Amino acid sequence: MKRCFALLLAFCCIPFSAQAEKGGWDALNAEAKRHLINLINIDTSLPEPDELSAARYIYKEFNKHGIDWDIFIPSQGRANLMARIKGTDASQKPLLLISHLDTAPAAEGWSYPPFKATVERGNIYGLGSTDAKNYTAAYLALFTWLKDQKTAPARDIIFLATSGEESGSETGLLWLGGAHWDKIAPGFALNEGGGVIKNQDGKDIVFAEASTKMYMDIKVTAYGTGVHSSMPVNDNAVYLLSQALAKIAAYNPPAKLTPTARTFFKAIAPLQDADGQTTIQFLLSGTPQNSQSAAEVMALDPFFRSQLKDTINPTVLSASKDTGSASGEASAILNVRLLPGSDPDEFFENLKNLFTEEDGVTLEMLERPQTPFPTPMDGTDPLFASIAAAAEKLVPNAITVPGMSPASGDNEFLRKLGVITYGLGPDMDPLGENTAHRADEFISEKDFFHQLQFIAGVVFDFAYGRDLLPLTPQQPAENKQEAEK
């Protein structure tokens, strides 16, 4: 069959090959990098993100390529921007490429200017370089490139840059889902999350984010005696708060094996040594006692812990603002990430039960997850099949598996709207340093290019049914520690 169609395929590919050669990966990567630099240079950080300027930059790029766009403005300075490439088959549900325009505030301690991109030692430094202006830039470059091609996709491809993801999406996806969803209405979506877990000793893992944990904030407050600092007392609120946090740190929620975690651990079991494989076997197939014991051993690994347990992390601490006095109150915010299926109210009650009236401590739920939580993706849909197909070309012999992100974001809301959603990201190391929301946030140029290639490969397969640019195995990304030298 290959011989029969060889001449036909060669004939059909001549015009496109010439076009791809003229505007291939190098040109597409250069465009994506240009967009990333320009978007970093626009300050869209909380608490007052200038999303409108970022949207204006994007729609000016659309204008250059004759792309119609819609802008949705929920309030002054905030903006959501959408564009669409029409497909030829109305029966196929649209694919959404979604990212957010806003960023977290710039953390303290930057050695590079956070709002001016710096390209140095093979890295691109700047606020939003990994969360999530890299996604917006990659989508923008790919979207405009696709619009310029003579080949139309089978299904609609939608570009959507949203507002307010870092602050709960009330000006972004939540608002759009209530007020304007009929104008968007995708069936499938690619968003942030996931990535390629590099395994130097064996097969890589393509981690397609198929579920997230539930976000909850709890305030714990300790009450003591407020006095002048020259007169110390035993019931100092800060000491009482420290004792309360120690109790919370010792609290060990039981492990739970969600369907997503079961799929993930089953997929990675062949990559483990003999002890690791035995432990996973006990986790998946052992008695309840053996399974729980295996989970406790695996939870010593921070990433595995995030897959098996509800987690608690103290973040913001508050007490007296005057060094000359001790406040009668001291508090901490506990950021909780719950597994899908966990009951937020039950978890909250379990924490409250750690304390008695004599402890002088109260707990208040500041933000409760919206339940019921959406059903995770299970990897049996056509979008996941396209992710696996692109992975086989770009990361040969990798294990492609749906997984659960320890973080949370807009994917939760998309799934509640009935959209089959996966998160794809750049090369990742779950145990390494994640620079998102931290000083000197950066993405390596090679990782960014790999991310662009992967997204494009999925779009080619899912929306066109063929590769519009050649997909060949990616070269290994440089070791980040080497890149930082």
Side-chain angles (χ1 to χ4, degrees), residues 8 17 21 143 161-162 231-232 240 256 274 309 317 343 351 353 366 368 399 416 419 429 444 446 481:
L8 177 61
S17 294
E21 199 172 293
F143 196 83
T162 65
M231 299 293 291
L240 297 179
K256 303 170 189 175
K309 287 177 175 278
L317 299 175
D343 184 332
L351 278 189
N353 290 337
L366 299 181
R368 184 187 185 279
I399 294 174
K416 284 183 177 179
V419 182
D429 178 0
S444 79
K446 185 166 283 189
Q481 290 181 345

Side-chain angles (χ1 to χ4, degrees), residues 36 41 74 79 92 160 170 281 327 338 340 402 415 435:
L36 178 55
N41 292 346
Q92 296 195 37
L160 180 63
E170 292 184 357
Q281 184 178 359
S327 173
L338 299 176
R415 292 175 186 130
T435 63

